[in-house]
C-alpha cells in the first residue's frame, strides 16, 4: 500500500515534470542524446558506390545477385539514474530539502527519456547500494522509478559515489547515458569516475543548497554534519570565518571542475533556491552546440 500523502506527491511530480519534459526539454534531449550504434535494418541490391564491405555474401549466393546490408541508427538508448539518498540530501535552508529537488530532477530526466523511447534504470545509493531497478520502457515504469526515490528508507547515512559508479559498470555492459544526481559531497571517487566516464556518457548533476556555499551571519551556531553526526560550534558573525568557509567551498568546486574537465565529463549544477530547468536546458544546448562543431 502506498500512503495517500506519497500518492499526492507522486501525482504532483508526475504532472509537473511530464509537462516540463514535453514543453521545455524534449527537443533538446532528443537532439543531444541519440542512439550511438548502428543496427542491421535490411538487405537490398547492390548499387554503384555502395561499400563492398557491406555485401551480404550469403544472400548474394542464394539470389545470384549482389546484395548489401543496410544499417540504421539505433535510436533506443538506456538512461541510468544514479540517485544519492544520503543524509546530507535531507538538508534544506530554503523551501524544501535537497532530496525533493533530487527527486524532481530525476523524474524530469526519466520523463524526457521515455518521450525519446529510451529505457530508464535506477540506482539508489548512500554509502551502499540501497536499490537497483533494471532499465525498462514506459510511463508505468517511470512512475515506479519515481516512487522508489520518494518512498525510499535508506539504511546508510554517508555518501560513497564509488558504490554507485562501480555497480553501473557491473550491470550496464553496453554504453548508456548515466545521470549522477547528488550533492557530490564525497571523497576518493576519482578512479571510479574515470572508469565509468570511459564506458558511459556520464553526467554529474550536482544539487546545491545556498547555505552550503556561504554561511549566514547568525552569530554563534551549532552545526551538525548530517552524515557523521559530528557537532561543530562556530561564530558565523566573524567575517574571517565566513570568508574561510566560502574559500574552502570555492576551492573544492574548482578541484571538482578541473577533474571533470580532464575527463571530458559534462556536468551541471542545480540549486534548491532557483528553477532547475534552465540549468538542464543550458546543458543540452551546450552539448548540442559542441556536437555540431561550433564549440
Amino acid at each position: 500500500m502506498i500512503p495517500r500523502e506519497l500518492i499526492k506527491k507522486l501525482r504532483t511530480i508526475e504532472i509537473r515534470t511530464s509537462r516540463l519534459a514535453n514543453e521545455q526539454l524534449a527537443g533538446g534531449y532528443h537532439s543531444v542524446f541519440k542512439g550511438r550504434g548502428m543496427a542491421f535494418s535490411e538487405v537490398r541490391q547492390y548499387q554503384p558506390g555502395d561499400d563492398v564491405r557491406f555485401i551480404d555474401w550469403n544472400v548474394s549466393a542464394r539470389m545470384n545477385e549482389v546484395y548489401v546490408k543496410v544499417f540504421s541508427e539505433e535510436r533506443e538508448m538506456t538512461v541510468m539514474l544514479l540517485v544519492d539518498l544520503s543524509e546530507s540530501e535531507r538538508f534544506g535552508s530554503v523551501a524544501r530539502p535537497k532530496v525533493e529537488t533530487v527527486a524532481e530532477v530525476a523524474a524530469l530526466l526519466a520523463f524526457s527519456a521515455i518521450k525519446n523511447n529510451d529505457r530508464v534504470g535506477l540506482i539508489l545509493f548512500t554509502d551502499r547500494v540501497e536499490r537497483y531497478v533494471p532499465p525498462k520502457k514506459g510511463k508505468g515504469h517511470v512512475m515506479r522509478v519515481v516512487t522508489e526515490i520518494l518512498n525510499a528508507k535508506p539504511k546508510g547515512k554517508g555518501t560513497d559515489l564509488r558504490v554507485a559508479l562501480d555497480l553501473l559498470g557491473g550491470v550496464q555492459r553496453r554504453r548508456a547515458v548515466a545521470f549522477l544526481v547528488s550533492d557530490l559531497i564525497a571523497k576518493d571517487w576519482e578512479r571510479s569516475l574515470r572508469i565509468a566516464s570511459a564506458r558511459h556518457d556520464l553526467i554529474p548533476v550536482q544539487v546545491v543548497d545556498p547555505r552550503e556555499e556561504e554561511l549566514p551571519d547568525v552569530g554563534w551556531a551549532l552545526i551538525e554534519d548530517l552524515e557523521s553526526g559530528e557537532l561543530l560550534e562556530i561564530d558565523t558573525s566573524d567575517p574571517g570565518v565566513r570568508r574561510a568557509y566560502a574559500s574552502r567551498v570555492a576551492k573544492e568546486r574548482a578541484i571538482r571542475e578541473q577533474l571533470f574537465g580532464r575527463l571530458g565529463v559534462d556536468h551541471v549544477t542545480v540549486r534548491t533556491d532557483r528553477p532547475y530547468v534552465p540549468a538542464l536546458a543550458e546543458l543540452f544546448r551546450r552539448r548540442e552546440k559542441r556536437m555540431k562543431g561550433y564549440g
Side-chain angles (χ1 to χ4, degrees):
M1 293 288 292
I2 301 178
R4 183 175 299 176
E5 181 181 344
L6 178 59
I7 293 176
K8 184 178 179 181
K9 184 179 292 187
L10 184 63
R11 181 61 176 161
T12 300
I13 288 180
E14 177 195 4
I15 293 172
R16 175 173 169 77
T17 56
S18 182
R19 176 176 54 80
L20 290 172
N22 278 328
E23 296 175 0
Q24 299 187 41
L25 290 186
Y29 179 99
H30 180 81
S31 62
V32 172
F33 299 111
K34 298 179 179 179
R36 297 299 195 268
M38 300 298 289
F40 171 72
S41 176
E42 60 181 347
V43 295
R44 61 165 172 77
Q45 284 184 292
Y46 176 85
Q47 298 174 3
D50 284 343
D51 193 328
V52 296
R53 292 176 299 175
F54 297 145
I55 293 176
D56 189 321
W57 296 107
N58 291 329
V59 174
S60 298
R62 290 199 303 269
M63 303 299 292
N64 290 320
E65 293 184 81
V66 180
Y67 279 77
V68 294
K69 296 177 180 178
V70 178
F71 295 85
S72 60
E73 183 186 47
E74 283 186 299
R75 282 297 318 171
E76 179 184 306
M77 292 190 310
T78 296
V79 174
M80 292 296 300
L81 302 174
L82 284 57
V83 178
D84 180 1
L85 293 181
S86 59
E87 280 296 308
S88 63
E89 301 295 348
R90 307 291 165 180
F91 176 73
S93 67
V94 288
R96 59 184 182 172
K98 287 185 291 183
V99 69
E100 293 190 16
T101 299
V102 165
E104 282 201 18
V105 168
L108 178 56
L109 294 170
F111 277 111
S112 296
I114 64 168
K115 297 295 179 185
N116 207 45
N117 200 36
D118 295 331
R119 302 190 309 157
V120 179
L122 175 69
I123 296 174
L124 296 177
F125 70 97
T126 52
D127 51 16
R128 67 200 74 183
V129 173
E130 300 283 349
R131 184 77 165 151
Y132 168 61
V133 179
K136 290 183 181 179
K137 290 185 181 182
K139 179 181 175 181
H141 178 69
V142 167
M143 296 307 293
R144 180 199 170 186
V145 165
V146 179
T147 301
E148 292 282 0
I149 297 171
L150 293 176
N151 203 33
K153 294 179 173 53
K155 295 179 180 178
K157 290 188 175 183
T159 306
D160 190 343
L161 300 177
R162 296 171 298 183
V163 298
L165 294 171
D166 293 348
L167 179 62
L168 173 67
V171 299
Q172 191 60 41
R173 297 299 181 182
R174 296 185 64 184
R175 186 171 178 83
V177 175
F179 292 97
L180 174 61
V181 189
S182 167
D183 55 20
L184 303 183
I185 300 176
K187 298 178 180 178
D188 303 324
W189 59 295
E190 181 175 342
R191 181 176 181 276
S192 295
L193 176 68
R194 184 184 299 111
I195 294 172
S197 62
R199 294 178 179 175
H200 303 287
D201 186 357
L202 180 66
I203 304 170
V205 180
Q206 184 181 16
V207 180
V208 175
D209 184 281
R211 288 293 171 255
E212 291 173 326
E213 297 188 321
E214 60 180 35
L215 291 174
D217 183 356
V218 292
W220 284 94
L222 193 63
I223 298 176
E224 178 184 6
D225 185 317
L226 293 175
E227 296 187 1
S228 68
E230 182 181 358
L231 294 174
L232 180 66
E233 189 175 20
I234 60 174
D235 182 7
T236 63
S237 64
D238 185 338
V241 170
R242 296 199 304 275
R243 281 196 302 270
Y245 180 85
S247 176
R248 190 190 73 179
V249 171
K251 182 179 179 180
E252 291 174 350
R253 180 172 59 246
I255 291 172
R256 191 164 49 241
E257 290 181 353
Q258 288 171 6
L259 172 61
F260 294 155
R262 288 199 306 272
L263 298 179
V265 172
D266 281 322
H267 66 284
V268 62
T269 299
V270 299
R271 294 169 57 100
T272 57
D273 59 340
R274 299 176 188 171
Y276 49 79
V277 171
L280 294 172
E282 175 57 29
L283 167 71
F284 294 171
R285 281 194 296 268
R286 194 167 66 240
R287 287 175 61 103
E288 184 177 14
K289 187 176 181 181
R290 188 174 66 247
M291 289 171 61
K292 290 180 177 179
Y294 298 130

